[in-house]
Amino acid sequence: MPQILFLFTLLLSILTSLGQSKISGKIIDSDTNTPLASAKITNFKTGIGTNADLNGTFQNLETGTYTFRKEGYFEKTIELKKETYAIIQLSINPNQLNEIIINANQIPKKLKRATNAINIISSDDIARFNNTDFAPILNRTPGVFMQSGALNTNRITIRGIGSRNLYGTSKIRAYFKDIPLTNGSGETTIEDFELASISQLEIIKGAASSVYGAGLGGVIHLKPQNAFLNESSVNSELTVGSFGLIKSVINANYGTSKNSFRAVFSDTESDGYRENNNYNRQTITLNTNHFISKKDEVSFLGSFVNLKAFIPSSINENTFINNPKSAAFTWKQAQGYEDATRGIFGISWNHDYSSSLKQVTSVFTSFREGYEPRPFDILKENTRGLGIRSRVLGNTVVFKNPFNWTIGGELFNDTYTYGTFENLYKDFPPNTGSVEGKQLSNYKERRYYYNVFAEADYEISEKTTISIGLNLNKTSYNLKDRFPVSTENKDQSGSYKYKDIVSPKFGFSHLLNKQISVFTSISHGFSPISLQETLLPDGQINRAVKPETGWNYEIGTRGAFLNDRFQFNASIYRLDIKNLLVPRRTAEDQFIGINAGKTQHDGLELAINYKWLDQEKISISMFLNYTLNNYIFKDFIDDTKDFSGNELTGVPSDVFNTGLDFQTLVGFYGNINYQFVSSMPITDSNSLYSDSYNLVNLKIGYQTNLTKKLKLNTFVGVNNVFDEFYASQILINATGFGGSAPRYYYPGNPVNYYAGINLNYHF
């Protein structure tokens, strides 16, 4: 009998142990899904700890409660139950940005080990403002300057690149997750995106990114708010403000252990400060993640925008001073506006072949339909884009040291169909607005490019990393003129192909100690030419025009002191550009591109963050950012005019930002931000400069838990507290037609206010 009882007990013990499933999983960045190598895992009950491997994976954990930690991220305590494979998402800690894992060049590494200048704009940075305007957010980043004439009229420059683009943003690459936002002509629009749908912006400055097309100015990488696993919530926000601002946002998340879904809807309406300045936009953003196996992850990203925004345009100096609310006379008479519908959609597949080899592939498509009545004509346009981006990432050990690499390519093409029509508004009574007349042109443009890239990081020691990269680009255009040929209209059909452009980069970083690193890099980049810039007045294609190319030389440092309470990064650089592309006006709405020389961009960038007080009841922190620009035309001859030695047009020499943030245990929070922008040359001759200006913005709020599941956040804010009179955007080298004065100025908004309420419910 005792023997039988012993055998029964032994069998029961074996069956029980077999029934206990061991838990494995992966620890990832909640914003980017980047694996967090060597994250620490501690059993909450026993205190026994272990580490995830270099791919963020862990194995053989018993059921129970565990705390997951990674330097640079907020720790998370989770009870692991029946799941045999768990995904753990950790959110970045904005107070330890130098420690976070970046994915800027597709090779995950700590920011402080990066070999080039990279800035992270966190969700906390975005929340400092009114969640409507990109400009104050981007302008906090040293080296980045966004001029904003209206919510739909903007120009972004990075280290002076793009300043000569008259309308919109050019010569800068941008991505929404893995989907290119830059079209086949090198033009980029990010201001239509809903800020509430973005968790983070990663900005790579200078021609330092082989894997993103070696853009001359740099890359702006928008990271959408990821969907969170194992939680469901609804967030609703309403904001009202000056100039008829009404904005509502609904942000919903649903997550299980392996699948998550996030949808963000927004509706923004504003009358605007100026005449003919109404703005109406609706957006829907979808982001889903599906961990379908230990080795496979699939995600879907979609963004849809419906926009109708009237255009007040720029005004001359007299009107700017005496009646800044006025719209340009012809734009007011024509009631010019932009009516656009745009969408982008992409599917990404991540597959781990092994612990040291993975593949990431994204397929994406985009569309845009636009209708834009302007005083000189009416533009109808339609764009369809399609592309694929794929890369293989690997890690191994060479001579006992880590070697990480990636190789891949991006193929993109879009078809741009557009035509212009007469605008007959002058033939009708006042206040009629634009009236479509006969067709003036009809084009179909096909634009193709591919990038093949490779990049590798090798840690030659525990403190030193070298990085090398290479990008090969091929761009071509095909134009079909579908308008009937006549004595007045010549056939402008034709094709244009650039020569292959090879852009190398080399970078080096070294940890002086655990807190401080230094880096240096040398990199090459280029900016594509739009087909319109190659067209001559006689309808022929100017095959002699060349893309702008340049070399970026940089040295910098980043680090932290006082237990990460004091963080800094600084860099000095020189960017030499040749084949400077200059738009030469041939008519009110016509330009041609010419190569007119070289520019030299010397600069210094500094960013400091300091937490003055870090206590349980209250925390107070400050930031300081400074940009010093010394940009000149090194060799610039436009027709018979020699501008060599002059300052680069449209860029301030100094931009200074500082501010203070506070947060209290009882729920009160707030911030105050100050910005100084120096004068900038408006004309290539440097005969006219804009005035410098100072802006102060203020926001205070209160947040509390109404119940265990319901959170309340209320806030009020004031922009331009001291009612500064300034030009928020300038139009360089403007020309007056018909005896009218040149229209250089877009007036900035005077003092304005906003208030909002946010409710967040966790199911």
Side-chain angles (χ1 to χ4, degrees), residues 566-598:
F566 183 94
Q567 300 183 56
F568 70 92
N569 66 72
S571 59
I572 57 174
Y573 64 88
R574 168 167 288 183
L575 178 55
D576 288 325
I577 300 172
K578 66 177 183 178
N579 300 322
L580 177 66
L581 193 63
V582 176
R584 179 177 292 167
R585 190 187 293 266
T586 59
E588 184 177 4
D589 63 330
Q590 293 180 352
F591 301 85
I592 62 170
I594 61 169
N595 294 119
K598 304 175 182 178

Side-chain angles (χ1 to χ4, degrees), residues 442-502:
N442 187 4
Y443 296 100
K444 186 174 185 178
E445 182 180 329
R446 295 184 181 274
R447 308 178 288 205
Y448 310 84
Y449 74 76
Y450 66 79
N451 290 307
V452 178
F453 54 83
E455 193 155 322
D457 288 351
Y458 180 54
E459 297 181 17
I460 60 178
S461 72
E462 291 184 359
K463 294 185 176 182
T464 305
T465 302
I466 61 173
S467 176
I468 58 173
L470 193 69
N471 179 275
L472 170 66
N473 176 274
K474 181 71 173 183
T475 301
S476 61
Y477 300 122
N478 180 270
L479 180 68
K480 177 65 176 177
D481 188 344
R482 305 188 296 180
F483 200 71
V485 177
S486 66
T487 55
E488 297 180 355
N489 300 291
K490 297 180 175 63
D491 187 357
Q492 299 189 77
S493 300
S495 299
Y496 185 90
K497 292 183 179 180
Y498 301 126
K499 294 180 180 180
D500 294 349
I501 298 179
V502 178

Side-chain angles (χ1 to χ4, degrees), residues 112-127:
K112 70 180 179 184
R113 299 199 71 151
T115 60
N116 52 290
I118 298 171
N119 285 90
I120 304 296
I121 298 176
S122 69
S123 56
D124 283 4
D125 296 325
I126 296 173

